[in-house]
Every structure is written in structure tokens, then in C-alpha cells.
Amino acid sequence: MGYNVAIDGPAGAGKSTIAKLVAKEKGYIYVDTGAMYRALAIHFLKKGIDADDREAVAEASRDAEVTIGYEDGVQQMYLNGENVTHMLRTEDVGNMASKSSAIPAVREKLLELQRSLAAEKDVIMDGRDIGTNILPNADVKIYLTASVETRAKRRYDELKAKGEDCDLEAIAHDIAERDERDMTREIAPLKQAEDAILVDSSDMTIPEVVAEICSHCS
């Protein structure tokens, strides 16, 4: 049985960045569950499916094969054999993933892959419902969050660094909407597990957050 660390939290809290660094520090395998949902979202977008058409999304998920690979220790996402890692972080894909991940057929599609990885390996996994639903028996559970303003500013700076035109208020509005959607969905809503450790990174540096989480891991 693998040693499992679960990191949950809202969009833009820095879960992926932190989880990757903790994985490197502790020698765990990093599993980005959000990337799995984003890979499926790319599939739905390519097919021109509306995220609100639950039947079409469920049907399309059947002919999508999402797999994980590693190149130089970095996780790569494959959709039907195509490496789609470079396409994962666009706003369109993120919004489609947030909406489609509330559909049971989509979650079931990825649940088996996520749990089998955790059973076999020492993993750190981040997402919205890892500690509450995917890995309820994880050895360590972290709920990583930050204020909407902090998360929006981080996303704004990230997009600006890439040379993209963006609006801070629009990003903050989008993040707040995504929080509401993730927290109120019927299937596996975003919430802090009862036995999770709360880490608010609003006023913390990345090294401070990594050190805090590592201090709870074996």
C-alpha cells in the first residue's frame, strides 16, 4: 500500500505548484487530478460539446482515454495517445473542466485510475475532493486555500508573464464563480475534510507553504 498525501482546495490556491515541490522534497509521485479533468475537457471542447449538455458529455467521455506518463520526472497528460499537456492551462479548458467534473460519468471515468495509482505508489495528489472522496484514507490531508483577491492576483501575474491580455477584476469574478460551482455541486463538492489540516497561503511564500506541508508528512 502506498503512502498517500491529499491536497484539496479552491482554484488558484497553488495546489499543483506546492504538490510538485513537496513531491520532489519527499520523493513522492505527483498526481495532478485536475489535469486529468482538463484532458477530458479538451476532448469535449474538440467535439464542440456544451458543458451543460450532461448526456452529450457522458457519452463523449466513453471514447476518451486519459493516461499519465512521466518525462524527466514531470507528469505528462495524454488524451487518446496525444500529449495534451501544453493545452491544459487555458481558461476555456479550465471552465469546461470545472463544469464537466460535476457530471458523475466524468468522475467515474477517472476515479479508478486515480485510486489504482495511490494503491501502488507513494503519491501526493491534489484536486477538489481528494481527501473527502478519492482518497478518504490518505495518510495526510491538507486543505490549501487563499483569499479570492490573492488567488486572482497570482493568476493575473501568471497570465501577464506569458504576455496574455487579462483583467484582474474579471479573473477574480471567474474564480469566485468557480468556487461557488465547486462547493455547491451535487457530486463530491469542494470542502475541507474533517481530518484535514488547514493551510491558508494568502500571506505565505511558496517555500513556507512547502515546509509547512512537509512537516506533516513522513
Side-chain angles (χ1 to χ4, degrees), residues 51 90-100 174 178 181:
T90 67
E91 289 298 300
D92 285 347
V93 169
N95 286 324
M96 171 61 88
S98 178
K99 292 176 181 177
S100 61
D174 187 49
R178 198 176 297 186
R181 191 161 60 233

Side-chain angles (χ1 to χ4, degrees), residues 73-201:
V74 178
Q75 178 179 287
Q76 304 290 316
M77 294 304 307
Y78 295 88
L79 171 64
N80 294 332
E82 177 190 357
N83 189 330
V84 294
T85 308
H86 64 289
M87 302 167 61
L88 297 176
R89 297 297 166 186
T90 67
E91 289 298 300
D92 285 347
V93 169
N95 286 324
M96 171 61 88
S98 178
K99 292 176 181 177
S100 61
S101 64
I103 299 171
V106 173
R107 306 195 72 79
E108 289 165 13
K109 178 82 177 178
L110 299 176
L111 185 58
E112 186 178 347
L113 174 60
Q114 292 161 354
R115 285 183 174 162
S116 64
L117 278 167
E120 297 166 5
K121 308 285 186 182
D122 293 342
V123 304
I124 182 166
M125 199 176 288
D126 72 283
R128 303 286 195 278
D129 65 335
I130 309 303
T132 55
N133 182 53
I134 306 228
L135 301 178
N137 298 314
D139 299 276
V140 177
K141 297 180 186 178
I142 303 291
Y143 189 83
L144 179 64
T145 190
S147 68
V148 169
E149 293 76 18
T150 298
R151 289 182 281 140
K153 183 62 166 60
R154 289 173 182 169
R155 182 62 176 155
Y156 175 84
D157 290 344
E158 180 185 336
L159 291 171
K160 278 292 187 183
K162 293 179 180 177
E164 295 184 29
D165 188 32
C166 53
D167 179 80
L168 182 58
E169 282 190 21
I171 292 171
H173 181 265
D174 187 49
I175 284 176
E177 271 197 346
R178 198 176 297 186
D179 284 354
E180 175 68 15
R181 191 161 60 233
D182 289 344
M183 290 176 177
T184 58
R185 68 189 183 201
E186 290 182 27
I187 305 296
L190 167 66
K191 63 180 179 180
Q192 182 178 341
E194 290 183 7
D195 54 346
I197 299 157
L198 176 65
V199 178
D200 187 327
S201 69

Side-chain angles (χ1 to χ4, degrees), residues 18 199 201 203-214:
I18 298 301
V199 178
S201 69
D203 298 313
M204 298 174 72
T205 65
I206 288 174
E208 286 172 342
V209 177
V210 171
E212 172 67 17
I213 293 175
C214 283

